[in-house]
Amino acid sequence: LKKNNINFHALSKDELDIRDYENAKNLLFQISPDLIINCAAYTNVDKAELEKELANDINNFGVKNLSKISNKLNCTLVHFSTDYVFNGSYNKKYTESDKTDPISYYGKTKLEGENQLVNLCNKYLILRVSWLFSEKRNNFVTFILNKLLKNEDIICVNDQVGIPTCADDISKFIFLYINMNIKHQNKQVYHFVNNGNEVSWYEFANKILTFFEKFTSTTSKIIPVTSNDFFKTNIRPQYSALCNKKIQDNYNFKIDNWEKSLNETVNKFFKK
């Protein structure tokens, strides 16, 4: 954005707490944006079962606050949702029109956040994403890479299936969206995941290992386990692969294969 002279404000959760309507409204009115991109979320699936009020305040009521503020500013609200709004009983990629039925409290709060936008917001874009990865911060890819560097064995679930999605590829789409001068379709829900075959976490970890070994060796072993053995709870969908055809067709936007993006991400990790 900076390179292309697009004025933006990146606000931390300390600067902008979306749970606090009045403070959020006052701050956003000072900025007066054309577009708000909501990256705030409560994402710990297990802890959400215990911290229900906090998860709901952020994922549901926080989005309600942003929806109301966006309407007052007459701006578009871009919001990120999740594959966990589905129950995982399918055996083909979920489309945007498939029935939602979350089985975790986290998924329920994310779906409620979507509903706030659908029912309240005049201009919005919802992107359902899954299995996000990047060379930055804490995510599955950096977790696996750091374990491999330490020669530590890794236990991975082999019966939950989804599609890994590169944060950089989402950023490229958001940049395209911004450059359309906000002359885009409003009130839309899209699935944004990388192209490529669905995989289990165990298969994903092994693909990370393949790209890792281009740089160095490791004695780590990747050990498959069932989700019941690993999590001790049944609150994650067994199958949550999303179909991204709608967004690619509607925006004439080609999304990279996740293996290509993963390879580039591992390269960036080692060149940091």
Side-chain angles (χ1 to χ4, degrees), residues 220-265:
S220 300
K221 294 185 182 68
I222 300 175
I223 303 161
V225 295
T226 67
S227 50
N228 283 340
D229 285 339
F230 188 83
F231 292 113
K232 311 299 182 190
T233 59
N234 188 26
I235 57 172
R236 290 167 174 80
Q238 293 290 109
Y239 182 95
S240 64
L242 304 179
C243 174
N244 62 13
K245 185 176 186 302
K246 179 181 168 185
I247 197 166
Q248 291 191 101
D249 289 349
N250 285 13
Y251 284 94
N252 192 27
F253 182 81
K254 179 71 165 64
I255 306 174
D256 283 339
N257 186 289
W258 66 263
E259 292 187 39
K260 176 178 180 289
S261 294
L262 176 61
N263 185 31
E264 291 170 358
T265 297

Side-chain angles (χ1 to χ4, degrees), residues 23-67:
N23 281 347
K25 184 183 78 170
N26 292 338
L27 181 53
L28 289 168
F29 263 71
Q30 289 172 30
I31 296 169
S32 189
D34 298 305
L35 186 79
I36 295 172
I37 303 171
N38 178 32
C39 300
Y42 183 108
T43 59
N44 190 312
V45 177
D46 291 308
K47 284 181 75 175
E49 301 294 321
L50 304 172
E51 298 180 342
K52 290 186 174 181
E53 185 175 357
L54 179 59
N56 196 51
D57 282 348
I58 296 168
N59 292 345
N60 178 12
F61 295 131
V63 180
K64 179 180 181 180
N65 289 338
L66 289 179
S67 296

Side-chain angles (χ1 to χ4, degrees), residues 19 34 63 103 153 160 163-164 194 216 227-228 270:
R19 298 172 297 173
D34 298 305
V63 180
I103 56 176
D153 290 345
Q160 285 179 6
I163 298 182
N194 277 100
T216 186
S227 50
N228 283 340
F270 277 99

Side-chain angles (χ1 to χ4, degrees), residues 63-216:
V63 180
K64 179 180 181 180
N65 289 338
L66 289 179
S67 296
K68 289 159 66 177
I69 295 166
S70 296
N71 288 347
K72 289 179 183 293
L73 289 164
N74 191 31
C75 71
T76 300
L77 178 56
V78 176
H79 176 68
F80 297 100
S81 191
T82 174
D83 53 333
Y84 278 40
V85 298
F86 297 109
N87 65 20
S89 62
Y90 269 40
N91 57 8
K92 63 180 181 64
K93 292 179 180 178
Y94 283 95
T95 68
E96 290 83 352
S97 60
D98 285 324
K99 183 178 181 294
T100 54
D101 180 27
I103 56 176
S104 65
Y105 192 75
Y106 161 72
K108 289 182 172 76
T109 62
K110 291 298 288 183
L111 181 59
E112 285 303 309
E114 287 189 16
N115 292 336
Q116 297 289 1
L117 282 157
V118 171
N119 295 326
L120 286 177
C121 197
N122 295 331
K123 295 191 287 187
Y124 65 81
L125 173 73
I126 297 170
L127 297 179
R128 290 182 183 146
V129 300
S130 69
W131 297 30
L132 284 179
F133 68 86
S134 165
E135 78 280 5
K136 303 184 181 83
R137 301 174 71 87
N138 298 320
N139 60 81
F140 186 75
V141 169
T142 56
F143 170 78
I144 296 294
L145 290 171
N146 284 316
K147 285 278 193 181
L148 295 173
L149 284 171
K150 295 174 186 172
N151 295 304
E152 295 176 359
D153 290 345
I154 307 158
I155 297 171
C156 281
V157 170
N158 66 353
D159 60 355
Q160 285 179 6
V161 173
I163 298 182
T165 306
C166 179
D168 278 358
D169 293 329
I170 297 173
S171 297
K172 288 171 189 170
F173 173 76
I174 295 292
F175 184 68
L176 166 77
Y177 191 75
I178 291 168
N179 277 318
M180 295 173 73
N181 296 314
I182 320 301
K183 293 175 184 173
H184 33 56
Q185 299 168 315
N186 292 315
K187 299 193 173 186
Q188 290 290 325
V189 179
Y190 288 108
H191 291 170
F192 192 107
V193 294
N194 277 100
N195 282 321
N197 294 329
E198 54 267 54
V199 287
S200 69
W201 291 108
Y202 172 70
E203 291 167 324
F204 188 20
N206 275 290
K207 186 59 68 171
I208 298 166
L209 172 62
T210 299
F211 294 135
F212 173 92
E213 287 179 328
K214 292 180 181 179
F215 293 91
T216 186

